[in-house]
Each structure stands twice: as C-alpha cells, then as structure tokens.
C-alpha cells in the first residue's frame, strides 16, 4: 500500500513538473517576443508578435482548474476558476475577437505584466515539483512581484476591455437578438461590462487572499 501511495506521488510530481515547465517555456516565448517587438517596431507590433504563444500559454491554464477539481493542487476551485476565466476572457473574448484593440498601447503593459508574473510563477512551481525546493530569490520574486505586476495587469485588463466596448456595440458580435427560436436574447456588450464590474473588485479580493 505504501509503495502504491509513493508511486502516485511520483506520478503526480512528474506530471506537474512537465506541465509547469511546458507552460513556463510558453510564457518565456511571450516575454521575449514582447521585448523584441517593442524594441524593433514599437507597441503597435506587440500583439501580432505574441498572439499564438499567448493563446497557447493562457489557454493551457484551463488545466489548473482541473488540477484544483481533482485535488492535484491545494488551490481552491473558487479562487482558480474566476482568475483563469478572467484571463481567458481577455485573451479570446477581447484581444482575439476585436482586432481593433491590437495596436493600442495598453496591450503592451498587459502582456508584459502577465508574462513576467507567469514566468516567475511557473518556474517557482516547476522547481518545487521537480526538485522539492525553490531558491530564496525565486521565492522572494514569487511573493513580491505582484506589487508591480498586479496593479499594472488589472488596470490594463480593464482598460483594454473598455477600449473594445465601441467595437462590441457597433459589430454586435456574439449577440443574440429576439425574436428567435429560443425566445432568449444576449448582449455581449452588457455582459462584458458586468463581468468587468465584478472582475475588478473580485481580483483585488483574491489577490489579498493569497498574500
């Protein structure tokens, strides 16, 4: 029985190590591409340079919700789900859905804050699962970088969503108007506004919870 329990722990740590290092490499690619695009062509070129690796790295975080559900990690689903969902909304529901936002200057601090925070976070957990410890400097970065990354990230997320509002309203993308066979209407513009109204204070409270 003890041997079986030990093999489960080894498989769990092996899986989480591989997962964390793969996503870490995805975010490293995003960070490097942001810097190079910014230096070579300015902020207007940032999104085009990072779109695919950003979508991969951010979408891979869906697995963290499953990790919480099945108990692979200690993070509660109640905290993981809204955090990941909010990031996915920005990645797919705003940036991918409304290309008009791509050249805005707020995209650069958004992606920079995300990528710096995630490179630190995934390397932290990668080291922890792979070797059973983390260097003191990485531990310090893990719990100190939020002082800059979090406010920059949250302001940029809300700002980019606000920038997309006129394009949402004009295009009526993802809207469902009545009459229809389901007798139901949905307005993506108002749904996004409500989500942002809830997301901003919710993100602050979640961050305070993890400090």
């Amino acid at each position: 029985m003890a041997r079986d329990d030990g093999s489960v722990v080894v498989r769990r740590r092996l899986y989480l190590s591989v997962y964390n290092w793969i996503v870490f490499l995805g975010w490293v690619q995003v960070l490097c591409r942001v810097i190079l695009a910014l230096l070579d062509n300015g902020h207007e070129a940032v999104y085009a340079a990072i779109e695919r690796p950003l979508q991969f790295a951010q979408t891979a975080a869906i697995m963290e919700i499953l990790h919480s559900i099945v108990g692979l990690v200690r993070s509660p689903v109640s905290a993981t789900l809204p955090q990941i969902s909010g990031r996915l909304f920005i990645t797919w529901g705003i940036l991918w859905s409304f290309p008009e936002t791509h050249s805005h200057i707020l995209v650069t601090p958004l992606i920079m804050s995300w990528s710096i925070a995630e490179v630190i976070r995934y390397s932290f957990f990668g080291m922890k699962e792979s070797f059973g410890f983390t260097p003191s400097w990485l531990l310090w970065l893990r719990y100190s970088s939020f002082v800059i990354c979090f406010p920059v990230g949250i302001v940029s997320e809300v700002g980019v969503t606000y920038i997309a509002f006129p394009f949402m309203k004009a295009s009526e993308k993802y809207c469902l108007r009545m009459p229809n066979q389901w007798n139901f209407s949905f307005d993506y513009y108002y749904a996004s506004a409500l989500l942002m109204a809830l997301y901003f204070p919710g993100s602050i409270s979640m961050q305070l919870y993890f400090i």
Side-chain angles (χ1 to χ4, degrees):
M1 189 66 165
R3 182 178 297 177
D4 291 341
D5 291 342
S7 65
V8 169
V9 171
V10 170
R11 287 197 296 269
R12 170 194 165 279
R13 291 189 62 177
L14 178 61
Y15 165 75
L16 289 176
S17 296
V18 172
Y19 168 79
N20 281 294
W21 287 122
I22 287 176
V23 184
F24 163 78
L25 291 174
W27 281 111
V28 167
Q29 187 178 15
V30 172
L31 181 58
C32 291
R33 288 192 178 195
V34 169
I35 295 170
L36 291 175
L38 197 58
L39 293 175
D40 291 342
N41 301 301
H43 71 269
E44 296 90 348
V46 164
Y47 183 79
I50 56 86
E51 182 177 42
R52 290 299 176 84
L54 171 68
Q55 290 169 351
F56 163 76
Q58 196 61 74
T59 305
I62 291 174
M63 296 303 298
E64 295 179 34
I65 300 173
L66 298 178
H67 296 165
S68 294
I69 291 173
V70 302
L72 276 178
V73 296
R74 290 181 295 177
S75 301
V77 179
S78 59
T80 305
L81 181 60
Q83 185 177 28
I84 301 302
S85 299
R87 291 281 195 90
L88 290 172
F89 167 72
I90 299 296
T91 301
W92 293 101
I94 299 298
L95 294 175
W96 181 76
S97 298
F98 300 97
E100 298 89 347
T101 62
H102 292 179
S103 61
H104 197 278
I105 194 170
L106 279 179
V107 172
T108 298
L110 171 71
I111 304 303
M112 286 287 286
S113 61
W114 280 6
S115 55
I116 291 171
E118 298 298 49
V119 164
I120 294 170
R121 186 167 73 94
Y122 283 106
S123 61
F124 175 86
F125 287 115
M127 289 288 294
K128 187 176 180 180
E129 295 296 342
S130 299
F131 307 108
F133 74 95
T134 54
S136 57
W137 60 267
L138 187 55
L139 181 66
W140 181 84
L141 283 175
R142 169 78 175 103
Y143 293 106
S144 301
S145 59
F146 76 91
V147 174
I148 296 175
C149 291
F150 175 72
V152 171
I154 193 68
V155 169
S156 300
E157 289 168 21
V158 174
V160 168
T161 304
Y162 179 77
I163 292 159
F165 280 164
F167 308 113
M168 289 182 193
K169 206 163 190 177
S171 67
E172 295 194 345
K173 184 176 283 189
Y174 308 136
C175 292
L176 182 62
R177 302 303 186 195
M178 293 182 66
N180 57 65
Q181 59 181 328
W182 298 285
N183 198 33
F184 171 80
S185 65
F186 174 78
D187 194 303
Y188 191 68
Y189 170 80
Y190 290 110
S192 299
L194 177 61
L195 179 61
M196 280 296 100
L198 297 174
Y199 181 64
F200 185 74
S203 296
I204 294 174
S205 63
M206 279 191 296
Q207 187 66 38
L208 292 174
Y209 173 80
F210 284 114
I211 294 174

